[in-house]
Amino acid sequence: MDLRSDGQGQREETVIEGLDGTSVLVTGGCGFIGVNLVTQLLAGGAAVTVLDLAGANWRNLPTGVTQIRADILDPRTLAGALDSIEIVYHLAARTDIDGESLEDYLVNFRGTQNVIEECAAGAGPRRFVFFSTQLVVGLFNETRFIDETEPYRTKTAYGQSKIEGEKVVISACTAAKIPYTIIRPTSVYGPWGEAPYKQFFRVVKRRRYFHVGRADNLVSWAYVKNLVDLTVLASLREEAQGQTYFGSDFHPYTMREITDAVGAYYGISVPTIPSVVMTVIAYACLLPKRLGVNVPIYPFRLQNIRANYCYDIQKSIRLGFMPRYDLDSGVRETLDWYEQHQLI
């Protein structure tokens, strides 16, 4: 893979070597990250098949894609779907954090098991790439850099389901002798993105967002095209077999930097509210929130806004990954896309 930049924040498209004519499958390919991945794979000359639910938003996909409507929780719908596939990019998942128990996220591990079993029923792909999440090691408001050796720990049923998914991939792929790679995206934004960042951009645009105090907490953000570059690179490198990688931009940003980048796009100077004042407001909104009122801030949301989470991508860089987009160029391209489609 050749990553090229003109050095002025304008990024050329990635030149992908090693994909031309390769038969690939993207599960969950109609989703936010999936559409961006499919677009890049097609640009690299791959023969792309997308497998997703019948009710998925298929119109998001570019032309030239083979479509399979199936439910990975129903193995019968997968029969024959993976024949002759050389690389599987397994993105199909439930990714919200609203579920209350592991049973709400069966698709993330039982569905993964079904996909691997169907892979093993045939010749088997030369690589199985599993999309996990940063939440398998949690968000614990720490400024230290967390790398891939961090033990599993999580606060959410979603995070636990992805832990189970990683375990399934490691055990089932090893048993079936299918080479695998695990990608752990951090907080991803970009074209086709929905919650929570589309809403965040809209709130800043409408001048309804305020910096909380210094807003100097560090956040590992990932522009979706940077993440796609890492994913494709790892799927093609032999040394990535059996390995796990965090997918993020080159370094974390402060919340002030992120918000100011959005504000700058719209010519807005984002105001600051002292932390103590915002804390009082958040707790004052707690009772209305519990009564079902849609309030702009409450203690849990404030805690998330102020949280630190930093992930170390040195392992990804040693693989050959170098993010093409920085914060300003990623935000600019994202907001250009939202505005062109009149989504915010």
Side-chain angles (χ1 to χ4, degrees), residues 235-256:
S235 73
L236 297 175
R237 290 291 178 88
E238 287 190 14
E239 58 266 42
Q241 293 183 18
Q243 299 297 315
T244 299
Y245 299 93
F246 280 113
S248 185
D249 286 1
F250 190 70
H251 60 79
Y253 312 112
T254 67
M255 273 306 300
R256 183 172 290 273

Side-chain angles (χ1 to χ4, degrees), residues 22-290:
T22 302
S23 177
V24 306
L25 174 74
V26 182
T27 71
C30 295
F32 159 40
I33 298 174
V35 171
N36 284 278
L37 175 59
V38 167
T39 301
Q40 189 70 296
L41 292 170
L42 286 171
V48 181
T49 298
V50 168
L51 186 152
D52 214 324
L53 294 168
N57 199 346
W58 290 92
R59 63 185 178 184
N60 287 350
L61 291 175
T63 58
V65 175
T66 300
Q67 301 180 6
I68 298 177
R69 288 160 171 77
D71 182 350
I72 64 172
L73 282 175
D74 183 355
R76 296 170 299 177
T77 68
L78 299 176
L82 280 74
D83 291 350
S84 303
I85 296 295
E86 297 174 79
I87 303 175
V88 174
Y89 299 94
H90 181 45
L91 280 64
R94 176 178 174 177
T95 59
D96 64 79
I97 59 172
D98 298 328
E100 297 181 356
S101 71
L102 203 54
E103 293 297 307
D104 294 324
Y105 296 94
L106 289 176
V107 67
N108 294 354
F109 51 98
R110 189 167 297 168
T112 297
Q113 179 78 46
N114 291 339
V115 173
I116 296 172
E117 288 179 356
E118 183 60 30
C119 287
R126 71 182 194 222
R127 187 69 58 86
F128 185 92
V129 181
F130 177 67
F131 259 55
S132 185
T133 172
Q134 62 185 348
L135 293 181
V136 297
V137 292
L139 297 179
F140 291 90
N141 194 24
E142 298 174 303
T143 55
R144 68 184 177 94
F145 280 85
I146 296 172
D147 66 16
E148 293 83 357
T149 64
E150 186 79 8
Y152 288 135
R153 56 176 183 153
T154 189
K155 296 179 179 179
T156 65
Y158 167 61
Q160 187 61 45
S161 74
K162 284 295 190 175
I163 291 173
E164 299 306 315
E166 287 194 10
K167 291 178 178 178
V168 164
V169 169
I170 294 168
S171 61
C173 284
T174 299
K177 295 182 171 55
I178 297 173
Y180 69 86
T181 300
I182 296 171
I183 304 292
R184 292 176 178 172
T186 59
S187 292
V188 188
Y189 75 100
W192 302 100
E194 292 290 340
Y197 293 120
K198 185 170 80 171
Q199 290 84 345
F200 166 69
F201 296 141
R202 181 186 294 125
V203 168
V204 175
K205 176 185 178 181
R206 296 179 180 178
R207 301 176 183 267
R208 296 177 181 174
Y209 189 92
F210 302 88
H211 291 305
V212 179
R214 294 165 61 183
D216 58 356
N217 53 303
L218 291 167
V219 176
S220 283
W221 257 30
Y223 182 55
V224 68
K225 290 187 178 181
N226 287 337
L227 177 64
V228 165
D229 284 348
L230 171 64
T231 300
V232 176
L233 174 69
S235 73
L236 297 175
R237 290 291 178 88
E238 287 190 14
E239 58 266 42
Q241 293 183 18
Q243 299 297 315
T244 299
Y245 299 93
F246 280 113
S248 185
D249 286 1
F250 190 70
H251 60 79
Y253 312 112
T254 67
M255 273 306 300
R256 183 172 290 273
E257 288 173 327
I258 292 169
T259 308
D260 284 347
V262 180
Y265 180 89
Y266 292 109
I268 294 169
S269 178
V270 179
T272 298
I273 291 181
S275 293
V276 64
V277 174
M278 186 61 82
T279 300
V280 170
I281 294 172
Y283 277 93
C285 291
L286 184 57
L287 179 57
K289 166 72 175 173
R290 289 175 174 172

